[in-house]
Amino acid sequence: MPRPDEHQFLRYVLREDAAAIAAFKTISRVSQTLDDLIDKDRPVSDGDVISAFWMIIVELPANPFYRANEIYLRPLLASALSDWRVSVALERDGDAHGRHLAFVLRDQLAGVLCQMAYLVGGEQWMNQVAVEIRRHVHEDTLSEYITDLDSSYALNGDRA
């Protein structure tokens, strides 16, 4: 879920680039909707599903930042989606090592945001904000993540 300071943080790391901010917010919302649908830990309305499809089919491809940088972003998005899918499988396997791997793999949008920082500000800017981006995106600790997983399984049973 977006944090209360999300917009301010994106304005900072994406150097006030409104199109870049809008593109990342779109990617994040669609990602969260997909996660909620698969994990079944939050209700997702029909309207939310339709909105996510609209954003990914219509809005993101029309976004000027995305259009100008698609060649750099699409492979990272494909990798992030693949890693997320693997993280879900590892979570469901239930062994400790798999869950630790899932924690690492589950949110590779941090790498997408680092690439976007590079695209708006160059290598030095990306290097300057990369640690802040990782800490912001990966705000949960491993123990919090494991506790949340255990709680979700206790409430929902097998989420597969």
Side-chain angles (χ1 to χ4, degrees):
M1 286 306 237
R3 293 168 26 169
D5 62 344
E6 190 76 13
H7 184 73
Q8 285 303 108
F9 182 74
L10 292 175
R11 285 181 63 202
Y12 164 63
V13 299
L14 296 176
R15 305 185 103 183
E16 305 282 339
D17 186 316
I21 293 164
F24 190 78
K25 283 182 170 183
T26 296
I27 293 164
S28 294
R29 280 192 58 203
V30 170
S31 173
Q32 187 62 56
T33 301
L34 178 61
D35 185 74
D36 292 342
L37 283 168
I38 299 302
D39 287 349
K40 299 173 184 62
D41 55 352
R42 287 186 185 84
V44 180
S45 70
D46 292 351
D48 291 337
V49 173
I50 292 167
S51 179
F53 272 82
W54 178 268
M55 286 186 283
I56 208 68
I57 292 169
V58 177
E59 299 219 3
L60 188 62
N63 178 287
F65 178 83
Y66 182 80
R67 288 175 68 94
N69 296 290
E70 180 182 7
I71 192 169
Y72 306 107
L73 297 173
R74 194 190 315 197
L76 292 176
L77 292 170
S79 181
L81 181 56
S82 177
D83 285 349
W84 175 82
R85 184 184 295 172
V86 169
S87 79
V88 170
L90 290 167
E91 284 177 356
R92 291 176 178 174
D93 284 347
D95 67 280
H97 183 62
R99 292 170 119 200
H100 293 178
L101 290 172
F103 177 72
V104 172
L105 293 173
R106 72 190 174 101
D107 197 348
Q108 297 302 329
L109 292 185
V112 173
L113 187 54
C114 286
Q115 178 69 21
M116 292 173 79
Y118 167 73
L119 292 168
V120 299
E123 180 188 7
Q124 287 183 335
W125 178 248
M126 177 192 64
N127 290 337
Q128 182 177 327
V129 297
V131 170
E132 292 174 84
I133 288 171
R134 296 289 177 170
R135 286 190 179 276
H136 182 87
V137 172
H138 300 286
E139 65 184 321
D140 296 336
T141 66
L142 176 61
S143 62
E144 290 168 336
Y145 168 73
I146 298 297
T147 299
D148 287 347
L149 265 183
D150 290 340
S151 296
S152 288
Y153 280 117
L155 291 173
N156 300 324
D158 183 17
R159 294 181 295 179

